[in-house]
């Protein structure tokens, strides 16, 4: 027979509601009573029911992480830090996966009885934030934001990283600048394109439309886009990619075309994923602390749940340029 909170109450000499309050660390319960209750619970092997806690508090202490861009390797890197941060604050991470950011995804989030949601792959035109707001379910943006609803967010300042990367490329003699940019309907692609164009402008350069490709944030798309650039009569000497995953595809395309990297073309990514530093890849890339950003997103959602009227907070992470083996001098004419 399972041990119940009533069994703990009898052993500790308190009422059953006092057991519940003591195990929630309610300040109305004395420290001595809390100690007796915890000792009794440990002695009996009592484990509080999560369902019971939810009924008594109105909260499940479960946070959803919505990922719709399932092919993007970047999001696999943030699950662990979000989980660990939430766990330390007494919350559970519930990974929510959908193939599209739509009405069905929102309804599933609401139906799962979550206390809040971290939106990790939102598009700028997404209606999900509107629906979540209307349903009263707290949420924060991670990395990408939407334009229809302002909310707490962790975002990246692309400017410093692109400024340093472009300066170094120009110093190495690059003038034919290519770019494989991300989808127009993502805030990350928009901000990175603006930062790249601004950095080039500072050196009197501009992106030639002929050297620009747009693609999803995945390796296959990066491969195809780069292959088309390298097939040009005068291909770019350096290619800026929308993220590291796209850059991996660019490296594949260069290898297939017999173009040396960096002797024939240089390639620069964005994110600095763990594999970017592997000796077999050695990708030059624009980096930021995405692990710390994931932890901050966890902190923002718990604060929004516990302090629903707190001011909206946007936490911005700076970028740096990490030069590795895929950036070299521009090939001579």
């Amino acid at each position: 027979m399972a041990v119940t909170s009533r069994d703990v109450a009898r052993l500790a000499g308190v009422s059953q509601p006092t057991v519940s309050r003591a195990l929630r660390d309610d300040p109305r319960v004395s420290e001595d009573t809390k100690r007796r209750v915890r000792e009794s619970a440990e002695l009996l092997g009592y484990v509080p029911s999560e369902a019971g806690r939810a009924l008594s508090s109105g909260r499940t202490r479960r946070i959803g992480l919505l990922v719709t861009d399932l092919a993007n390797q970047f999001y696999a890197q943030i699950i662990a830090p979000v989980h660990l941060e939430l766990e330390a604050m007494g919350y559970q991470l519930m990974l929510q996966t959908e193939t599209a950011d739509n009405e069905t995804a929102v309804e599933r989030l609401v139906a799962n009885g979550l206390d809040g949601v971290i939106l990790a792959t939102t598009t700028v035109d997404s209606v999900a934030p509107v629906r979540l707001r209307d349903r009263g379910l707290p949420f924060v943006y991670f990395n990408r934001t939407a334009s229809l609803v302002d909310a707490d967010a962790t975002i990246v300042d692309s400017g410093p990283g692109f400024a340093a990367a472009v300066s170094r490329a120009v110093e190495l003699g690059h003038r034919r600048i290519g770019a494989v940019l991300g989808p127009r309907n993502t805030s990350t692609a928009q901000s990175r394109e603006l930062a790249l164009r601004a950095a080039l402008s500072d050196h009197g350069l501009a992106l030639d439309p002929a050297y620009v490709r747009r693609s999803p944030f995945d390796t296959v798309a990066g491969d195809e886009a780069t292959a088309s650039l390298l097939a040009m009569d005068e291909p770019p000497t350096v290619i800026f990619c929308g993220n590291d995953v796209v850059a991996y595809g660019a490296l594949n395309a260069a290898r297939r075309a017999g173009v040396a990297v960096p002797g024939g073309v240089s390639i620069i990514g964005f994110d600095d994923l763990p594999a970017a530093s592997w000796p077999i890849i050695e990708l030059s890339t624009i980096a930021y602390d995405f692990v710390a950003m994931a932890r901050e997103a966890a902190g923002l959602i718990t604060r929004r749940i516990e302090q629903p009227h707190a001011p909206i907070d946007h936490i911005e992470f700076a970028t740096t340029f990490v030069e590795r083996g895929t950036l070299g001098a521009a090939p001579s004419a």
Side-chain angles (χ1 to χ4, degrees):
M1 187 179 224
V3 176
T4 70
S5 59
R6 295 188 184 279
D7 298 322
V8 176
R10 279 193 294 270
L11 182 59
V14 298
S15 67
Q16 189 272 336
T18 299
V19 170
S20 299
R21 288 194 290 269
L23 294 178
R24 292 200 309 269
D25 204 25
D26 192 313
R28 294 172 294 178
V29 180
S30 71
E31 290 304 317
D32 181 63
T33 300
K34 289 178 185 177
R35 178 186 56 77
R36 284 190 291 117
V37 168
R38 288 168 183 155
E39 288 176 353
S40 298
E42 184 176 359
L43 183 64
L44 294 172
Y46 172 68
V47 178
S49 162
E50 291 295 332
R53 283 180 174 175
L55 286 172
S56 63
S57 67
R59 292 182 185 170
T60 62
R61 301 195 73 80
R62 296 187 301 190
I63 305 295
L65 173 64
L66 179 63
V67 178
T68 58
D69 190 356
L70 303 180
N72 192 329
Q73 299 170 30
F74 171 76
Y75 294 100
Q77 303 298 322
I78 69 166
I79 294 173
V82 171
H83 159 68
L84 292 172
E85 193 70 15
L86 289 175
E87 185 178 55
M89 292 183 284
Y91 287 84
Q92 278 186 301
L93 174 65
M94 308 295 290
L95 182 62
Q96 309 289 310
T97 58
E98 296 285 344
T99 55
D101 185 352
N102 56 27
E103 298 274 359
T104 303
V106 172
E107 290 308 313
R108 288 185 181 177
L109 291 173
V110 174
N112 282 340
L114 304 171
D115 287 346
V117 182
I118 299 172
L119 298 177
T121 48
T122 306
T123 57
V124 293
D125 53 354
S126 170
V127 298
V130 177
R131 300 292 179 258
L132 291 172
R133 180 199 61 191
D134 293 347
R135 298 297 293 270
L137 185 60
F139 68 91
V140 302
Y141 296 118
F142 171 80
N143 195 33
R144 298 183 191 174
T145 59
S147 57
L148 299 177
V149 179
D150 191 18
D152 299 309
T154 56
I155 53 178
V156 175
D157 178 7
S158 304
F162 273 107
V166 168
S167 291
R168 181 61 176 146
V170 170
E171 180 184 353
L172 290 169
H174 293 280
R175 296 297 182 273
R176 297 201 305 271
I177 313 294
V180 180
L181 306 172
R184 290 181 185 273
N185 68 340
T186 62
S187 62
T188 46
Q190 292 178 357
S191 66
R192 292 169 197 181
E193 179 178 354
L194 288 173
L196 174 58
R197 290 184 182 278
L200 289 171
S201 178
D202 288 342
H203 292 274
L205 299 171
L207 274 180
D208 184 337
Y211 288 150
V212 175
R213 302 290 185 273
R214 298 182 189 277
S215 76
F217 285 126
D218 65 63
T219 300
V220 172
D223 187 328
E224 293 173 350
T226 302
S228 73
L229 289 171
L230 295 178
M232 298 175 68
D233 291 338
E234 285 191 314
T237 61
V238 61
I239 300 174
F240 286 84
C241 297
N243 64 10
D244 287 353
V245 176
V246 171
Y248 300 158
L251 291 171
N252 289 341
R255 172 66 67 88
R256 189 179 300 105
V259 178
V261 178
V265 65
S266 291
I267 293 172
I268 298 174
F270 194 106
D271 284 332
D272 197 21
L273 296 177
S277 65
W278 291 359
I280 197 171
I281 297 177
E282 281 293 311
L283 179 66
S284 294
T285 189
I286 294 168
Y288 58 98
D289 194 342
F290 58 78
V291 171
M293 191 166 82
R295 290 173 177 158
E296 287 288 357
L300 284 176
I301 189 58
T302 57
R303 188 199 67 155
R304 181 56 54 194
I305 292 165
E306 295 164 8
Q307 303 175 41
H309 302 297
I312 289 175
D313 194 2
H314 294 170
I315 301 176
E316 194 169 57
F317 286 77
T319 49
T320 58
F321 176 56
V322 180
E323 184 174 349
R324 298 193 182 103
T326 62
L327 175 63
S332 10

